[in-house]
Amino acid sequence: MSLRFAVLTLLDIEPGSGYDLKRRFERSVIHFWSASHQQMYRELHKLHGEGLLDCAEQPQEGRPDKKIYSLTDAGRDTLRTLATAPASTQKIRDPFLLQLFAGHHLPPAQLRAELERHLAEHRALLETYEAQNARFYKRPPEQRQRLWLAHQPLVLGIATEKTWINWAEQLLARLESEEAG
């Protein structure tokens, strides 16, 4: 899978400018696919150059014209091809889990502090996901129906964060119990 796939998918949902695409990416895809703003803009230009995107210029007062990108028929065909290719299974690569694996070398207070820091980050991420989920359900029913599959990574993200938080809270309780005893 590639950034190309993510960009085509986001523009399939709704045409937009590079800035619109960046904002949509940050509210959705970034939680399971990473790319810098520069990479996204390079990909937009590349896709346009390959004839997979149309670009209409929209005049703006006092600013350069805004470029609105949309899929061409060739872009839709490429998206279909990418969507039907088998996706590889992602392996977990988490530095904190590796640190925890060697946790017996860390002072208990340092390990607990690191766990608490990660727990706070996961709680904040869950809060973000739940806010995005609430926005999804405020959409008109026909949009929710059209986008229900695109919504599923968010549903998984919520479940994953809840599981991680539950696991971390249990681990933290055990660490505190070990320290007290």
Side-chain angles (χ1 to χ4, degrees), residues 2-173:
S2 64
L3 179 57
R4 163 181 295 251
F5 191 13
V7 169
L8 290 171
T9 300
L10 287 168
L11 290 174
D12 183 51
I13 291 171
E14 182 180 1
S17 67
Y19 178 75
D20 296 332
L21 182 67
K22 178 182 84 74
R23 282 187 32 233
R24 278 189 244 149
F25 191 91
E26 289 171 348
R27 289 188 310 229
S28 60
V29 178
I30 200 161
H31 299 295
F32 53 88
W33 196 266
S34 63
S36 69
H37 303 314
Q38 294 86 356
Q39 288 173 311
M40 283 196 325
Y41 280 103
R42 273 196 307 269
E43 193 64 36
L44 268 176
H45 294 297
K46 188 175 173 186
L47 291 167
H48 182 253
E50 292 174 19
L52 302 178
L53 299 179
D54 276 330
C55 181
E57 296 202 3
Q58 188 179 73
Q60 297 187 106
E61 191 142 337
R63 290 197 232 158
D65 291 348
K66 187 177 190 178
K67 295 179 179 182
I68 305 296
Y69 294 93
S70 60
L71 295 183
T72 61
D73 289 339
R76 275 186 205 75
D77 290 343
T78 299
L79 178 56
R80 269 188 224 96
T81 299
L82 291 170
T84 58
S88 61
T89 302
Q90 181 63 41
K91 303 245 188 287
I92 295 174
R93 186 178 175 147
D94 187 326
F96 174 67
L97 293 181
L98 190 55
Q99 184 180 29
L100 186 60
F101 190 68
H104 59 283
H105 292 287
L106 295 173
Q110 181 182 354
L111 183 57
R112 191 177 63 256
E114 188 67 7
L115 179 58
E116 288 171 345
R117 183 177 70 79
H118 281 272
L119 187 54
E121 289 176 10
H122 282 273
R123 285 178 176 145
L125 189 54
L126 176 60
E127 192 174 306
T128 298
Y129 286 175
E130 288 177 333
Q132 290 173 339
N133 197 46
R135 281 194 303 275
F136 176 81
Y137 283 105
K138 288 180 182 175
R139 292 174 176 262
E142 63 277 359
Q143 273 189 356
R144 288 196 315 259
Q145 178 58 35
R146 185 171 64 86
L147 298 173
W148 77 271
L149 279 172
H151 179 242
Q152 294 312 298
L154 178 59
V155 171
L156 177 60
I158 291 169
T160 300
E161 292 309 315
K162 286 180 177 180
T163 298
W164 201 101
I165 290 166
N166 183 49
W167 167 80
E169 287 171 343
Q170 290 177 22
L171 180 56
L172 191 56

